[in-house]
Structure formats: C-alpha cells, structure tokens
Amino acid sequence: MTVEQDLQNLNEALSQSAGFLLSQASRLLRERVETALVPLRLSLYEYVILRLISLEAPMSQGDLGETYGIDPTTMVGLVDGLEGRDLVQRQKDPADRRRYKLRLTPKGRKTLSRAKRIVNDSQSRFLEPLAPPEWEQVRACLWKLISHAQSKHIGTGEKT
Amino acid sequence: MTVEQDLQNLNEALSQSAGFLLSQASRLLRERVETALVPLRLSLYEYVILRLISLEAPMSQGDLGETYGIDPTTMVGLVDGLEGRDLVQRQKDPADRRRYKLRLTPKGRKTLSRAKRIVNDSQSRFLEPLAPPEWEQVRACLWKLISHAQSKHIGTGEKT
DNA sequence: TATTGTTATACTCTATAACTATA
DNA sequence: TATAGTTATAGAGTATAACAATA
C-alpha cells in the first residue's frame, strides 16, 4: 500500500468520527481567535467573560462559568485579572448577597467592542469555505445537539 | 424585561456564534466520552493515540500528536504510560532512526476494540437528536472547514 | 443545612528552551 | 545545520476539598 493510500484511509476514518471533527474544528477556530486576540492582551476565556457579561443575562459569576464550561476556581483568577485591569466590576447582588453580579466598565465596553470585531472577522474567515445556507444548517444542528446534551445532564434550573 | 426574555436573548446570541457552538458541542461530547472511558482507565488522549496507531498511517510519534493537536511534550508522557501498561510499543524507524514507529501490542488491540465500542456508542447517543442525513451534512461541512483551515496554516509536508 | 465565592493543593496539559542522537 | 524525541521548568486550567458569608 502506498503512502498516499495510507493517508487517504486515515482521512476517511477521521472524517467519519464526530469526536475528531468537532474537536479539531473547535481547536482550529480557537487557535485563530486566540492569536487574533493577542494584541488586545485578552485570552479566549477573558473575551468570553466580557462577551457573556455584555449579553446582560441574569448570571452570577458561577452561572457565567457554567455556561461556557469554565471552572469556578479558574473564574476567580480570571475575574480578578479583569477587575485589576479595570475591565470588569464585581457587585454584590442585593437580592442574594452571596452572588456577584459582574458589570463591564466603560474601558471594558471599549475593549470588548474592539475584540468583538476581531473575533467576528476571525470566525467569518474560518467559515469562508461554507456557503451561507450550509453554515446555517450546521449552526442549527449544533444548537440542537448542545440543547439536547445539556437538558439531559444539567437542566436549566427552570421547572419546565 | 423578564428573566425568560433575558435568557432567550442570551440563547439567541450564543446560538449565532460559531465559536460557542463548536466549543460547547465539542466539550459536551468530550465529557461524555471521557466518562465512558473511565472503566478502561483510558484518558481521551490515550484512546486517541491507540486509535490513530490502529489506522496504520505512516506516522511518527510527533506526526500523530500533530494530527490531533497533542503537544510533543505531552506525547512523551502519554506514550510512556501506554508503553508501561503494555498497550503500545515504540520501535525505531529503520528508515530514519530518529523517529519512532508506534505499534499496538495484542493487549493494546484488545483494549482498543473494547474502547472503540464504548466511544462509538457514546457518539451515537450524542448524535441521536439529528436525523442521519442531517449529521451527514454537518459531517461534510466540518471536514471541509478542517481541511481548509489546515491547508492554510500547516500543510501536509507533501509537495502538491 | 445548603449555596456562592474563595483559597489551598495536586494533577494534567501547554509553551519554551535546551539537550541527544541521528540525518 | 536541521530534525525527532526527550527533559526541565514555568504557566494555564481542572478537580477536590475546605472555609467564610449568606441564604
């Protein structure tokens, strides 16, 4: 068997595996976004935190980490760093003083708006090889997978 | 604005983001596969290494790590562990004695075949909410994204 | 009693650079 | 010189358990 055939077999097997496809697509996009964010001195997690705060959902520091899969321990350090750079403010939630409500500072909003442009460009370039209706289809399917996987294991905290 | 509306806005924004969709789908599947592999005492990376070796492509230890995005430093420790458990053998490549060819031992083959069943079941359950043609479409698109992203940055080492 | 955020500790993976043996 | 694998070291991120403040 030639090297070319071997490689073709390998690719055929890999292109069949959901785990490989999702992890590699995710990794390749993540690497690009991380590189693109370097000039703003933001890690991907830091960007995600700013972005999630900006969406104004009623999330505590812990909820926020859970939404993206960031460990609570890691969250403390990340928010410490963002607060130290005056991008984010911790505020005690008056309704439950154990929880923090996180807010963007004006500087945080400005940094985020620059970061959003950079990240969106990065994502658009990554999605370039797909026609818009193709991505739309993928998008809907991934959302279905995520919703289904989460509902089975975590639940939203709401009684449905 | 009610909490329900806030959450709906959040979900709408997240379901629009390629980065969120890919990272979370990947993470949720990875967590399931990792849990499923615990009884075999295999980490996901260890499983991936066994699986890639079994595909018989002409890959060295380093190539293998690059295919999945495993750091060379990490590879050393992982292969050390797999070799210590008699699942894998290192062999000097006679054509280039700097490189290792990795081989499965009989025990490695047996472990892998059990692991493959477990991982495939896990992936099938994860993909359950999609109709087969839907997944087929997603599969093709993800493969296109990966091929395109890799060709732009890495190249295969072959002159084309 | 239970939960949010915090700290401490150990572990895994990554990034970087130096080393070795080969090429 | 350059490359494959290794080692050492430092830095992220995660898992676990304990703790303070609050519910």
Side-chain angles (χ1 to χ4, degrees), chain B residues 37 40 42 47 50-51 54-55 109-123:
Chain B
L37 284 173
L40 294 181
L42 287 177
Y47 168 76
L50 296 182
R51 180 74 182 116
S54 79
L55 290 172
R109 265 191 294 281
K110 223 169 74 183
T111 301
L112 174 59
S113 92
R114 268 187 289 172
K116 245 165 68 179
R117 252 197 318 279
I118 288 177
V119 170
N120 287 340
D121 285 358
S122 221
Q123 296 194 351

Side-chain angles (χ1 to χ4, degrees), chain A residues 56-103:
Chain A
E56 295 285 1
M59 290 193 294
S60 67
Q61 184 175 310
D63 296 337
L64 199 154
E66 231 172 62
T67 302
Y68 204 80
I70 304 174
D71 190 275
T73 307
T74 307
M75 279 299 291
V76 175
L78 290 170
V79 175
D80 280 353
L82 291 171
E83 207 175 24
R85 288 162 66 187
D86 190 31
L87 300 173
V88 156
Q89 270 187 337
R90 280 183 174 100
Q91 287 186 310
K92 286 284 186 194
D93 181 345
D96 180 346
R97 293 176 43 69
R98 290 171 306 182
R99 302 161 66 97
Y100 282 129
K101 252 178 56 189
L102 300 178
R103 288 189 41 189

Side-chain angles (χ1 to χ4, degrees), chain B:
Chain B
M1 200 184 278
T2 70
V3 169
E4 284 73 21
Q5 279 176 323
D6 276 335
L7 279 174
Q8 205 176 316
N9 288 349
L10 173 69
N11 283 341
E12 183 151 337
L14 293 180
S15 74
Q16 227 56 40
S17 156
F20 180 82
L21 293 167
L22 287 172
S23 64
Q24 298 316 302
S26 172
R27 174 174 71 94
L28 291 164
L29 176 54
R30 191 188 64 235
E31 284 172 357
R32 290 178 175 218
V33 170
E34 280 170 349
T35 305
L37 284 173
V38 167
L40 294 181
R41 295 190 310 135
L42 287 177
S43 73
L44 178 59
Y45 275 173
E46 288 169 334
Y47 168 76
V48 165
I49 291 170
L50 296 182
R51 180 74 182 116
L52 286 177
I53 294 173
S54 79
L55 290 172
E56 295 285 2
M59 290 194 292
S60 66
Q61 184 175 311
D63 295 337
L64 197 155
E66 232 172 63
T67 302
Y68 204 80
I70 305 175
D71 190 274
T73 307
T74 306
M75 279 299 291
V76 175
L78 289 170
V79 175
D80 281 353
L82 292 171
E83 206 174 24
R85 288 161 66 187
D86 190 32
L87 299 173
V88 156
Q89 270 187 336
R90 279 184 174 99
Q91 287 185 311
K92 287 284 186 193
D93 181 344
D96 180 345
R97 294 176 41 70
R98 292 171 305 182
R99 302 162 65 97
Y100 282 130
K101 254 176 59 188
L102 300 178
R103 288 189 42 188
L104 295 182
T105 63
K107 195 175 156 201
R109 265 191 294 281
K110 223 169 74 183
T111 301
L112 174 59
S113 92
R114 268 187 289 172
K116 245 165 68 179
R117 252 197 318 279
I118 288 177
V119 170
N120 287 340
D121 285 358
S122 221
Q123 296 194 351
S124 299
R125 274 196 302 279
F126 181 75
L127 296 178
E128 231 167 39
L130 299 186
E134 284 182 314
W135 167 242
E136 179 51 35
Q137 167 99 18
V138 173
R139 206 188 59 66
C141 288
L142 291 179
W143 184 245
K144 214 191 283 183
L145 288 175
I146 292 168
S147 308
H148 191 258
Q150 279 179 335
S151 69
K152 267 176 94 170
H153 285 276
I154 299 173
T156 56
E158 307 281 330
K159 304 177 243 192
T160 39

